[in-house]
């Protein structure tokens, strides 16, 4: 392979992201020698992650994650193999999950990436690493077992429940003995949650007022809300929290496609009177416990207690549309794009 295909930002999306916000460039594969601390990788499989949308905004206000300039490469989590290394910790042939870029081959500096590198053991396939045992599954695992910690019999509500993180979060809460209610868009996703994820109830937020549906499904209130969505969804859950309830902030996808930040609930006194705890977390902080998380996920997967749905797309050229689909709910589970080079 002598050329490198790369997606760059064509323009800063104004409102809902569109595939036309990205532009494909084809350049010669760089041949200049690596500098100390750099590695050169081939990107084999991409995980399409909604949080990248925040870096396409003019002012990416999150200190650890800078804004992508117009003309800049699009960052993306990938399963990659090392082609060459000038970094003491990596050698050619190593396989990893890494914050890479939407291109065939990338020159990266692992120590400066906003997400730590997750090395792969030889027995782990790229699909396993970005699917069942992915960072998203680990997000659900640590977000639920370490941050949320549901107790048996508690009512747990998960938003974005049929998505990559959400579906695993639902099932882990179920395995911990909670009564789980998932919120998702559309009949088909709700059916999957009931039949495959085997949770207690699924709410189709597109089919009617969320507040009423939550009141029906959680008559005694919500003990734990695991939020992937934010905005009106978070508001409806806050209004339904039980006393001493907990809210785990995993993501705020409803806000990513809008200018500015992600607004909080309207009346914080609701949290004061309810003695409610609200806590965010990022999976990167659990890098040193990834093996433990993957081992537990593997046991649940092997025993059939945990189901993961993969929505696999083909070819580097399908990356922008796959990304746009995340914000339309047009993905069915973990969205992966395999490189065709
Ligand atoms: N804290 C962390 O470390 C961490 C790590 C990874 C991911 N995350 C977060 O986890 C969340 C899920 O990410 P994922 O990769 O698993 O994506 P995903 O859930 O597989 O896909 C995104 C889903 O979000 C839903 N959605 C999109 N726009 C929405 C809106 N305006 N209102 C309600 N639902 C909407 C859609 O499902 P419906 O069809 O149901 O609407 C869509 O399928 C994101 O917020 C992401 O940023 C956090």
């Amino acid at each position: 392979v002598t050329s490198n295909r790369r997606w760059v930002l064509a323009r800063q999306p104004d409102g809902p992201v569109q595939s036309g916000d990205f532009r494909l460039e084809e350049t010669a594969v760089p041949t200049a020698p690596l500098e100390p601390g750099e590695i050169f990788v081939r990107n084999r499989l991409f995980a399409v992650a909604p949080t990248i949308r925040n870096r396409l905004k003019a002012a990416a206000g999150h200190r650890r994650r800078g804004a992508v300039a117009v003309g800049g490469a699009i960052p993306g989590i990938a399963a990659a193999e090392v082609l060459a290394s000038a970094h003491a910790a990596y050698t050619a042939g190593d396989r990893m999950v890494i914050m890479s870029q939407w291109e065939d081959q990338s020159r990266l500096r692992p120590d400066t990436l906003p997400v730590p590198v997750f090395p792969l053991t030889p027995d782990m396939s790229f699909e396993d690493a970005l699917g069942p045992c992915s960072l998203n599954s680990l997000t659900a695992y640590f977000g639920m077992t370490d941050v949320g910690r549901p107790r048996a019999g508690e009512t747990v509500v998960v938003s974005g429940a049929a998505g990559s993180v959400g579906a695993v979060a639902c099932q882990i809460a179920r395995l911990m003995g909670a009564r789980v209610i998932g919120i998702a868009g559309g009949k088909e996703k709700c059916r999957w949650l009931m039949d495959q994820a085997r949770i207690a109830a699924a709410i189709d937020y597109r089919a009617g007022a969320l507040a009423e549906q939550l009141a029906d499904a959680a008559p005694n209130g919500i003990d734990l809300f695991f939020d992937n969505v934010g905005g009106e969804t978070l508001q409806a859950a806050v209004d339904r929290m039980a006393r001493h309830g907990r809210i785990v902030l995993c993501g705020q996808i409803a806000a990513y496609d809008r200018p500015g930040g992600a607004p909080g609930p309207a009346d914080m006194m609701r949290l004061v009177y309810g003695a409610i705890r609200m806590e965010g977390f990022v999976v990167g902080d659990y890098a040193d416990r990834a093996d433990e998380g993957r081992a537990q996920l593997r046991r649940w997967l092997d025993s059939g207690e945990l189901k993961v749905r993969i929505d696999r797309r083909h070819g580097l050229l399908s990356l922008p549309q796959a990304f746009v689909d995340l914000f339309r709910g047009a993905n069915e589970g973990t969205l992966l794009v395999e490189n065709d080079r």
Side-chain angles (χ1 to χ4, degrees):
V1 180
T2 53
S3 75
N4 184 47
R5 299 168 303 166
R6 165 190 288 179
W7 284 105
V8 300
L9 189 62
R11 58 176 183 231
Q12 250 133 13
D14 180 20
V17 65
Q18 300 167 29
S19 45
D21 297 330
F22 305 93
R23 186 179 70 238
L24 191 71
E25 282 182 351
E26 192 150 1
T27 55
V29 171
T31 49
L34 295 174
E35 301 197 4
E38 287 187 337
I39 60 172
F40 193 54
V41 303
R42 180 198 300 270
N43 299 306
R44 298 288 301 277
L45 187 64
F46 296 92
V48 190
T51 182
I52 296 304
R53 176 68 181 84
N54 292 306
R55 298 183 56 183
L56 310 184
K57 293 178 177 174
H62 311 279
R63 245 183 308 133
R64 285 168 64 191
R65 329 228 153 155
V68 176
V70 169
I74 308 300
I77 293 285
E81 64 197 7
V82 177
L83 298 174
S85 171
H87 187 297
Y90 306 101
T91 50
D94 282 354
R95 298 149 71 252
M96 54 180 54
V97 169
I98 188 166
M99 189 60 156
S100 188
Q101 299 184 154
W102 289 7
E103 62 184 337
D104 291 318
Q105 302 183 11
S106 303
R107 190 173 168 147
L108 303 169
R109 197 172 273 282
D111 296 343
T112 63
L113 298 172
V115 178
V117 173
F118 286 71
L120 296 192
T121 49
D123 60 326
M124 186 169 279
S125 70
F126 288 132
E127 172 150 332
D128 245 9
L130 291 187
C133 295
S134 64
L135 285 178
N136 283 349
S137 295
L138 291 173
T139 301
Y141 177 77
F142 291 115
M144 202 50 94
T145 62
D146 201 67
V147 189
R149 282 175 272 139
R151 293 180 281 265
E154 283 190 328
T155 296
V156 174
V157 173
V158 177
S159 62
S164 182
V165 174
V168 175
C170 281
Q171 294 173 83
I172 292 175
R174 187 203 76 215
L175 288 161
M176 293 174 82
R179 176 174 180 273
V180 182
I181 302 163
I183 304 173
K187 270 203 188 75
E188 196 278 332
K189 289 186 181 185
C190 288
R191 196 172 311 121
W192 188 88
L193 284 168
M194 298 296 290
D195 296 349
Q196 299 295 318
R198 293 187 287 125
I199 60 173
I203 291 175
D204 176 2
Y205 72 88
R206 294 180 200 264
L210 180 57
E212 284 160 32
Q213 297 195 76
L214 271 177
D216 286 345
N220 300 321
I222 302 166
D223 298 304
L224 174 63
F225 178 50
F226 188 101
D227 192 21
N228 290 308
V229 170
E232 292 158 19
T233 307
L234 174 59
Q235 184 65 57
V238 164
D239 291 340
R240 197 71 221 156
M241 292 304 291
R243 225 179 124 65
H244 294 294
R246 292 96 67 205
I247 298 170
V248 177
L249 299 178
C250 177
Q252 301 273 298
I253 193 169
Y256 299 172
D257 249 351
R258 295 180 194 166
D267 181 8
M268 293 301 278
M269 283 312 288
R270 178 78 191 79
L271 305 187
V272 174
Y273 291 135
I276 289 159
R277 177 161 62 85
M278 195 160 168
E279 187 174 355
F281 77 102
V282 286
V283 69
D285 289 347
Y286 291 92
D288 59 343
R289 289 179 59 193
D291 288 345
E292 168 209 323
R294 284 182 181 144
Q296 180 59 66
L297 290 164
R298 189 80 267 159
R299 283 193 288 277
W300 282 327
L301 290 157
D302 289 347
S303 68
E305 288 168 300
L306 176 62
K307 298 270 197 314
V308 169
R309 185 149 73 148
I310 307 284
D311 185 340
R312 195 179 170 112
R313 315 269 174 100
H314 184 74
L316 189 90
L317 298 193
S318 55
L319 271 167
Q321 187 56 50
F323 186 68
V324 168
D325 281 355
L326 286 173
F327 299 90
R328 312 279 179 281
N331 60 311
E332 293 175 354
T334 303
L335 191 42
L336 302 183
V337 173
E338 65 178 301
N339 199 350
D340 44 342
R341 269 196 190 161

